[in-house]
Amino acid sequence: NAGVTQTPKFQVLKTGQSMTLQCAQDMNHEYMSWYRQDPGMGLRLIHYSVGAGITDQGEVPNGYNVSRSTTEDFPLRLLSAAPSQTSVYFCASSYSRLAGGKSYEQYFGPGTRLTVT
Amino acid sequence: EDKVVQSPLSLVVHEGDTVTLNCSYEVTNFRSLLWYKQEKKAPTFLFMLTSSGIEKKSGRLSSILDKKELFSILNITATQTGDSAIYLCAPLSGGYQKVTFGTGTKLQVIP
């Protein structure tokens, strides 16, 4: 298993540009989520999904869109990048139901470091 | 609004010391609490706690949950420099597990 993969690892954008951060998992996890991590702020939930076709907002959704057309993929779109979106972005996945010894443990991707100038 | 408070925010100890990290939470429809260790990259999973009073143990690390008082502690005994990291707690809540992370405790272990 590759686990959770994210691309790109690094990205520099100019203010106003748009881009998509990619996230994929091969563990058949129902639950996927996007976090941003800023110094001193911990991990803040942007959007999450409990299955294909179902998404919901987290704590800091403004300026970001998501979709979940397949179980495996959960891309995060920045519509018009702003310097306030400079951060490290993590994608994570997990099972959404405790059954048959499954755990709610979230598996994290390696992160994308985004700088908006 | 869901709230997670970790204390202390940072801690410097010497190798061999024992540390206790605290996590208090207020979330709707609590399901479980997760502890993670984050070094320079993505967080790595330590424990999942669902029941009160049952200690989970892994080597020198242990953790316990108190669902009545809404807190959890993470203990690390005989600390080593490799324990230096940010430790994050994250309660899961809601019908589908919404995860709210605390800001973390930054632990530095010096030789």
Side-chain angles (χ1 to χ4, degrees):
Chain A
N1 285 351
V4 180
T5 58
Q6 287 183 240
T7 56
K9 289 187 179 173
F10 301 95
Q11 183 71 49
V12 179
L13 291 178
K14 290 188 178 347
T15 298
Q17 287 184 316
S18 63
M19 79 159 295
T20 299
L21 306 185
Q22 301 291 344
C23 174
Q25 52 91 12
D26 61 358
M27 297 171 280
N28 203 29
H29 285 163
E30 304 97 344
Y31 183 87
M32 295 186 75
S33 53
W34 277 102
Y35 296 90
R36 60 177 289 174
Q37 188 171 36
D38 304 300
M41 298 291 290
L43 287 154
R44 291 186 291 170
L45 182 65
I46 304 171
H47 286 284
Y48 65 98
S49 168
V50 298
I54 307 170
T55 64
D56 205 348
Q57 296 181 352
E59 184 186 352
V60 287
N62 292 342
Y64 308 95
N65 270 357
V66 292
S67 59
R68 184 103 178 263
S69 55
T70 67
T71 299
E72 295 78 19
D73 300 298
F74 191 44
L76 178 74
R77 280 181 285 278
L78 279 71
L79 309 171
S80 177
S84 60
Q85 293 179 304
T86 294
S87 189
V88 179
Y89 291 84
F90 289 103
C91 177
S93 73
S94 71
Y95 293 110
S96 65
R97 294 282 186 268
L98 272 183
K102 292 177 183 177
S103 166
Y104 290 134
E105 172 189 353
Q106 290 206 307
Y107 293 78
F108 282 84
T112 295
R113 186 174 292 275
L114 176 69
T115 301
V116 183
T117 60
Chain B
E1 185 178 317
D2 295 343
K3 189 175 171 184
V4 183
V5 177
Q6 290 188 248
S7 63
L9 290 179
S10 65
L11 193 55
V12 180
V13 301
H14 287 95
E15 269 191 319
D17 287 350
T18 293
V19 298
T20 297
L21 310 183
N22 303 293
C23 173
S24 66
Y25 62 89
E26 291 177 34
V27 300
T28 305
N29 194 13
F30 173 86
R31 300 182 82 186
S32 295
L33 187 136
L34 305 176
W35 280 98
Y36 286 87
K37 177 183 181 182
Q38 186 176 25
E39 295 173 88
K40 293 188 177 177
K41 297 185 179 177
T44 54
F45 175 75
L46 294 174
F47 297 110
M48 182 179 85
L49 304 158
T50 304
S51 302
S52 272
I54 299 175
E55 186 183 55
K56 291 271 182 110
K57 212 167 160 57
S58 176
R60 295 176 294 102
L61 277 67
S62 64
S63 184
I64 198 160
L65 174 69
D66 185 328
K67 288 164 73 173
K68 184 178 175 187
E69 300 297 330
L70 308 182
F71 78 88
S72 175
I73 61 172
L74 174 69
N75 282 320
I76 308 175
T77 58
T79 51
Q80 303 171 356
T81 54
D83 295 327
S84 296
I86 296 173
Y87 291 84
L88 299 161
C89 78
L92 281 70
S93 61
Y96 293 98
Q97 74 276 13
K98 176 185 167 188
V99 181
T100 304
F101 279 86
T103 52
T105 293
K106 184 175 181 180
L107 174 65
Q108 184 181 356
V109 182
I110 56 179

